[in-house]
Amino acid sequence: MQATDINDIWEHILQVAKQTLPPAIYSSLSTSLIPMSIDNNSIHIGVMQSFIKNVIESQQMVSKMLTDAIQQVTGKQLNMVLLDVFPQKGETPAPPQVADTFTGNTTDSSDTGTSTLTNTTVSDIDSSIEKSSTPAKQKVPYQEEFYTPVYADPVYIQRKEVDELIPDEPMFPVEQPQTAQTLQSTDIPIDLSSSQLNRGYRFDNYITGNSNRIPFGAAQNVSEHPGGDYNPLFIYGPSGLGKTHLMHAIGNAIVERYPNLKVMCTTSEKFMNLFIESIRKRQGELFRNTFRNIDVLLIDDIQFLENKEGTKTEFFNTFNELLDNNKQIVLTSDTMPNDMDQFEERLRSRFQAGYVATMENPDLETRIAILKALVEKENNKNRNLIIDNDAINYVALQFDENIRVLQGAFNKLIGTASLEQRTSSIDLEYTKKTLSDIITTERVTLIDIESIQDFISTYFNIKKQDLLGKKRKAQFAFPRQIAMYLCRDVINESYPQIAAAFSRDHTTILHAYDKISKEIDKNPETKQIILDIKAKLSSLN
């Protein structure tokens, strides 16, 4: 039996459903649904927002389009089971019969295009789903599929109104339920002039992917139900991945949804400076009145308070006062709570008492989406900016450290093009020349599936028709599996795309990728072959 990634099957299902669903409906569903598990009889789908679940269950046409897509991709009539990922207070969470993976029976050869699905391996994918009395299952490591972003400056994406976007397509009217306000504001007047809430950071201009989809869902839940289940919300991730954007988006959404709530958004440095200033001016009561009577406290980069003893004590008291009064707290940090050695255990434990959401580096598809959003932002300024897709793909491939580095490369490219009056014709050659001084090691670029197939055929001295054929002899099967593996590992093509190029079922590609990955770990010879091939592929450019 081989463990395979359900995320890729779900990605294929969404692409099929996209062909029939109205764009506005598809956009809402694709960012709100998470594949959880699949077996012979049903597919379990997590829903991040309750009203989306109501839409699917009440709109027969939407439900039918999704089930038709599921049947087309899986070849089975599976029951679609919707589960609330973030249940409301008072609701009974769904039992944890969900997992990131499912188990399938595959033959030893990668040539077979069929697999028999069996019951899924169960594991919790989110701490919001409580443990039930069922025996604990083995956890499966999360596998990144495609990801998302943060910007040094906000990216504004102007969207047309729905009636202009799809004038001739049927819409499914959705009556969104009135959101119950979780916390109640006091009548104490508060000076919020120190709040640094950036109106440009919003949910609708935040690009999501697999690496930040759970934090994004948790953030939306907090904005809808401040003081609810995810309190405090601790957003962790390396610098430049979108923590600040997400935190400000929470604040902006709460201000719009609950205008009577008092929202304070600041940085740890600003909090410290205000505290020190209050001591200098003997205005400690004013400081405490401000921070202990707000309804929502958002603090960015909380890790910088580690060595500030006096400020830490004041923050600890403020933190407790707000939590005791059911006020919402959101913190961001590039250090996990249990690694904050300079914080007292009592404070670290409180950070972890709510929900810790982890953000990771965006994958290639997400970086491409970010760059296209940046291009759109420039064109919204009435700037005629035209960048070839090859150039966009090249930039996305070279700059994968974080979003700030990616945006810096983009700004250098368009800034230079503007000076040289080349903004209307930025191609790959110009992009390589312009960015050559900030690319230390050029990654494998512009390699496609066909070029990998050609190279592997030459490398192993076999005919290409044998590489793509059905022969099961090791001399053909092993190179074939390596080619499939490289298509996923080097150029990050989707499993359905690779399957089509090799005339195989996507489960065969999953099996090949899994097999070669394990071979690399346990067989030094295979590892050396892969390293050698990657080095030679890189030299092709």
Side-chain angles (χ1 to χ4, degrees):
M1 292 187 179
Q2 300 293 331
T4 52
D5 194 351
I6 191 175
N7 288 316
D8 296 282
I9 294 179
W10 180 247
E11 178 187 351
H12 195 188
I13 290 172
L14 285 180
Q15 292 305 313
V16 173
K18 184 178 183 180
Q19 299 172 9
T20 55
L21 286 169
I25 297 294
Y26 170 79
S27 178
S28 295
L29 297 184
S30 63
T31 58
S32 300
L33 303 181
I34 300 177
M36 303 180 101
S37 68
I38 187 172
D39 56 34
N40 282 328
N41 301 315
S42 59
I43 179 170
H44 293 75
I45 302 171
V47 187
M48 290 187 176
Q49 301 178 72
S50 298
F51 80 88
I52 293 294
K53 183 171 181 284
N54 295 335
V55 172
I56 299 174
E57 292 176 343
S58 62
Q59 300 290 343
Q60 185 177 0
M61 192 172 299
V62 175
S63 178
K64 185 177 185 303
M65 289 176 179
L66 282 175
T67 53
D68 287 348
I70 292 170
Q71 181 178 357
Q72 182 176 336
V73 173
T74 64
K76 292 176 176 288
Q77 289 186 341
L78 301 178
N79 295 323
M80 182 172 60
V81 181
L82 303 178
L83 304 170
D84 278 317
V85 174
F86 302 118
Q88 303 303 315
K89 276 191 171 180
E91 293 182 0
T92 302
Q97 297 179 344
V98 293
D100 281 338
T101 63
F102 69 95
T103 301
N105 291 333
T106 60
T107 63
D108 290 337
S109 170
S110 64
D111 292 307
T112 60
T114 61
S115 68
T116 303
L117 296 179
T118 63
N119 288 336
T120 63
T121 300
V122 181
S123 86
D124 292 334
I125 67 163
D126 191 278
S127 62
S128 65
I129 301 178
E130 300 174 359
K131 293 183 179 180
S132 70
S133 59
T134 56
K137 306 287 181 157
Q138 183 179 359
K139 290 187 177 180
V140 181
Y142 173 77
Q143 292 184 350
E144 182 187 85
E145 182 187 0
F146 56 86
Y147 182 46
T148 164
V150 121
Y151 319 98
D153 294 314
V155 176
Y156 297 92
I157 304 177
Q158 296 182 354
R159 292 178 170 82
K160 296 182 179 179
E161 296 297 327
V162 171
D163 57 349
E164 295 180 9
L165 182 64
I166 47 173
D168 298 324
E169 296 189 56
M171 283 299 297
F172 305 98
V174 178
E175 224 177 272
Q176 297 188 11
Q178 293 295 322
T179 306
Q181 185 171 325
T182 307
L183 56 83
Q184 300 298 321
S185 181
T186 63
D187 295 329
I188 300 174
I190 299 296
D191 178 13
L192 295 175
S193 60
S194 298
S195 182
Q196 300 172 301
L197 193 61
N198 188 330
R199 304 295 180 184
Y201 290 143
R202 307 174 60 84
F203 286 128
D204 59 10
N205 62 14
Y206 188 83
I207 302 174
T208 59
N210 264 12
S211 56
N212 69 345
R213 184 164 289 161
I214 293 297
F216 182 80
Q220 285 188 313
N221 185 276
V222 166
S223 72
E224 294 171 3
H225 310 285
D229 293 335
Y230 302 93
N231 191 26
L233 174 63
F234 190 101
I235 304 175
Y236 161 76
S239 177
L241 296 187
K243 302 185 299 295
T244 300
H245 188 147
L246 203 54
M247 184 188 76
H248 283 263
I250 293 172
N252 285 317
I254 291 176
V255 167
E256 291 181 5
R257 187 173 281 111
Y258 306 117
N260 62 311
L261 296 185
K262 297 181 281 291
V263 178
M264 173 65 76
C265 179
T266 187
T267 64
S268 60
E269 181 182 12
K270 179 73 171 178
F271 181 88
M272 178 185 67
N273 290 338
L274 289 172
F275 175 63
I276 294 174
E277 185 73 6
S278 72
I279 295 176
R280 189 178 67 82
K281 294 183 176 180
R282 298 183 179 179
Q283 296 177 336
E285 283 302 316
L286 178 61
F287 178 87
R288 284 186 282 274
N289 180 66
T290 299
F291 279 92
R292 298 188 189 184
N293 288 292
I294 55 178
D295 302 306
V296 180
L297 176 62
L298 313 168
I299 298 186
D300 200 15
D301 291 325
I302 193 64
Q303 74 275 2
F304 290 134
L305 292 184
E306 276 198 282
N307 298 314
K308 311 296 186 294
E309 295 302 327
T311 308
K312 274 195 303 185
T313 300
E314 181 61 32
F315 173 74
F316 175 78
N317 294 329
T318 300
F319 187 94
N320 284 338
E321 180 77 15
L322 292 176
L323 279 188
D324 289 345
N325 288 284
N326 199 38
K327 307 302 185 181
Q328 179 67 51
I329 298 175
V330 178
L331 308 172
T332 74
S333 174
D334 60 13
T335 306
M336 285 291 280
N338 55 355
D339 292 329
M340 295 179 171
D341 298 332
Q342 301 304 314
F343 278 103
E344 295 180 11
E345 173 59 30
R346 60 179 184 171
L347 191 52
R348 294 203 306 268
S349 63
R350 282 165 173 76
F351 289 164
Q352 300 177 80
Y355 184 76
V356 179
T358 300
M359 305 183 72
E360 299 177 7
N361 287 335
D363 64 3
L364 180 62
E365 285 85 355
T366 304
R367 297 197 299 274
I368 290 173
I370 294 168
L371 289 172
K372 290 183 177 180
L374 292 173
V375 172
E376 185 176 353
K377 174 187 174 184
E378 293 298 321
N379 285 327
N380 286 337
K381 299 177 182 176
N382 297 319
R383 191 171 190 171
N384 184 27
L385 181 62
I386 301 176
I387 305 181
D388 291 351
N389 282 333
D390 286 347
I392 289 177
N393 294 344
Y394 178 80
V395 176
L397 192 63
Q398 300 307 314
F399 300 94
D400 59 356
E401 296 93 329
N402 59 55
I403 308 307
R404 292 193 186 119
V405 172
L406 181 68
Q407 188 179 24
F410 175 83
N411 290 337
K412 177 178 174 63
L413 177 61
I414 64 171
T416 305
S418 180
L419 292 173
E420 297 178 355
Q421 298 184 344
R422 282 283 304 264
T423 56
S424 61
S425 59
I426 300 178
D427 56 17
L428 176 61
E429 182 179 356
Y430 180 80
T431 300
K432 284 186 173 183
K433 176 184 175 183
T434 303
L435 301 180
S436 61
D437 60 330
I438 60 175
I439 297 177
T440 54
T441 302
E442 187 171 18
R443 292 165 175 78
V444 176
T445 59
L446 305 180
I447 298 294
D448 56 15
I449 293 179
E450 186 175 3
S451 61
I452 288 178
Q453 291 172 339
D454 291 337
F455 181 85
I456 294 298
S457 299
T458 303
Y459 186 89
F460 286 96
N461 195 27
I462 61 175
K463 295 179 181 178
K464 186 176 180 180
Q465 65 187 49
D466 290 330
L467 181 77
L468 303 180
K470 303 293 183 180
K471 296 180 179 179
R472 297 188 179 187
K473 293 181 179 180
Q475 67 185 96
F476 305 124
F478 183 63
R480 186 183 300 132
Q481 290 175 333
I482 286 181
M484 294 172 178
Y485 169 85
L486 292 171
C487 288
R488 181 64 178 175
D489 185 69
V490 174
I491 60 177
N492 204 27
E493 286 287 4
S494 68
Y495 289 120
Q497 288 174 311
I498 302 172
F502 282 86
S503 301
R504 299 296 201 282
D505 185 85
H506 68 273
T507 56
T508 301
I509 311 302
L510 289 165
H511 169 74
Y513 182 84
D514 185 61
K515 183 175 181 179
I516 297 300
S517 297
K518 291 178 179 177
E519 278 291 315
I520 292 173
D521 290 337
K522 68 181 182 181
N523 191 330
E525 185 177 346
T526 302
K527 181 178 181 179
Q528 186 56 47
I529 290 175
I530 296 298
L531 291 175
D532 184 51
I533 291 174
K534 285 183 177 180
K536 291 179 178 178
L537 278 173
S538 179
S539 67
L540 293 179
N541 295 286

